[in-house]
Amino acid sequence: MKHLLLAMALGAAAFATDASAQAAKPTVVLVHGAFADASSWNGVIRILEKDGYPVVAVANPLRGVATDGAYVGDVVTSLAGPVVLVGHSYGGSVITEAARDKSNVKALVYVAAFAPDAGETAAGLSGKFPGSTLGPAIAPPVKLASGGNDLYIRQDKFHQQFAADVPKADAALMAATQRPITEAALNERSGSPTWTGIPSWFVYGDKDLNIPPKALAFMAERAKSQKTEVVAGASHVVMVSHPDVVARQIERAAEAK
């Protein structure tokens, strides 16, 4: 009987330790970019959750840097405990805004993402170095009744332009379900950068056709990235084609002291 009680006590202690360790892990908030949706993080989410991280994949409105940043910032404010903010592509501009005045954000992770300085735009940064072929792949703009334009990638160009290292059938689904971004959002100037005060990590592919790898390297160096992973042969959607590498980088940021 004593042995049984001891085993039960040890088991309860181990369970409590595991639960405490999981509770101590920061929440990972994932923010998708233009021409994608929250499902683009599915592979990364599976790994993070398996490793005990709570995850929230936000539906980024893709309407404007300031308003999208405020929306994601509200999500961050609603979460208890530390947060690791992760942005893909235009989502990098959004997390840079969202982290402002948020004391619970412990790290920023830029996944093939913009990390703008004050006054910079996504469009301007993507054109800072040669290599982006996004312009010719954009479909005729969808004019909005409220003014301005929504932008999509042409479905017949999507695979090569956006997701060249993803299976063709998967890329076709991504093309059909892509979320549009306003033209204004890509040309909206960023506010003061939060990567100057919050540690950042970067990961991107060397075959990115949306944001030139030289631009991504420039932003990572400028932000004093704690660690930068460059994935050989990876496209703009490195989190879809290499979720293990991206998840590992996020976990590095989460575990950093």
Side-chain angles (χ1 to χ4, degrees):
M1 185 65 178
K2 288 182 179 179
H3 292 301
L4 177 59
L5 290 173
L6 178 60
M8 291 174 65
L10 289 173
F15 177 81
T17 300
D18 289 345
S20 176
Q22 181 164 340
K25 290 181 182 291
T27 299
V28 177
V29 176
L30 303 166
V31 182
H32 68 81
F35 319 119
D37 63 19
S39 70
S40 60
W41 296 111
N42 283 355
V44 173
I45 292 169
R46 290 188 188 98
I47 296 169
L48 293 175
E49 290 188 337
K50 175 179 172 290
D51 292 343
Y53 287 91
V55 181
V56 177
V58 179
N60 187 359
L62 305 175
R63 302 294 86 186
V65 175
T67 56
D68 295 344
Y71 174 77
V72 174
D74 288 343
V75 173
V76 170
T77 298
S78 75
L79 298 170
V83 166
V84 174
L85 262 178
V86 184
H88 171 243
S89 192
Y90 165 80
S93 297
V94 174
I95 68 169
T96 302
E97 291 286 319
R100 190 171 297 114
D101 301 322
K102 301 294 185 293
S103 60
N104 59 331
V105 176
K106 67 165 292 183
L108 300 169
V109 182
Y110 292 90
V111 180
F114 295 108
D117 204 345
E120 291 181 336
T121 68
L125 283 166
S126 65
K128 189 176 181 69
F129 296 90
S132 176
T133 56
L134 178 60
I138 294 292
V142 175
K143 295 193 176 299
L144 303 173
S146 57
N149 297 315
D150 255 355
L151 302 180
Y152 292 84
I153 295 177
R154 286 175 47 181
Q155 290 195 27
D156 62 332
K157 299 285 188 182
F158 191 95
H159 187 202
Q160 179 60 32
Q161 176 61 41
F162 200 70
D165 58 343
V166 172
K168 188 174 181 180
D170 293 342
L173 287 174
M174 293 169 65
T177 59
Q178 66 179 291
R179 294 267 312 283
I181 188 168
T182 64
E183 189 173 15
L186 295 177
N187 291 283
E188 183 178 338
R189 295 186 184 279
S190 183
S192 59
T194 49
W195 43 258
T196 57
I198 301 173
S200 61
W201 281 255
F202 284 71
V203 56
Y204 60 89
D206 67 359
K207 298 298 182 184
D208 194 319
L209 297 180
N210 272 36
I211 308 174
K214 286 185 177 180
L216 293 162
F218 162 76
M219 289 183 281
E221 183 176 358
R222 181 175 65 179
K224 296 180 171 55
S225 171
Q226 302 296 301
K227 183 174 177 59
T228 300
E229 284 273 353
V230 182
V231 185
S235 70
H236 188 55
V237 290
V238 63
M239 71 287 191
V240 177
S241 57
H242 296 273
D244 54 334
V245 177
V246 173
R248 183 170 67 243
Q249 191 75 323
I250 294 169
E251 292 187 6
R252 284 193 186 106
E255 293 165 3
K257 302 299 182 185

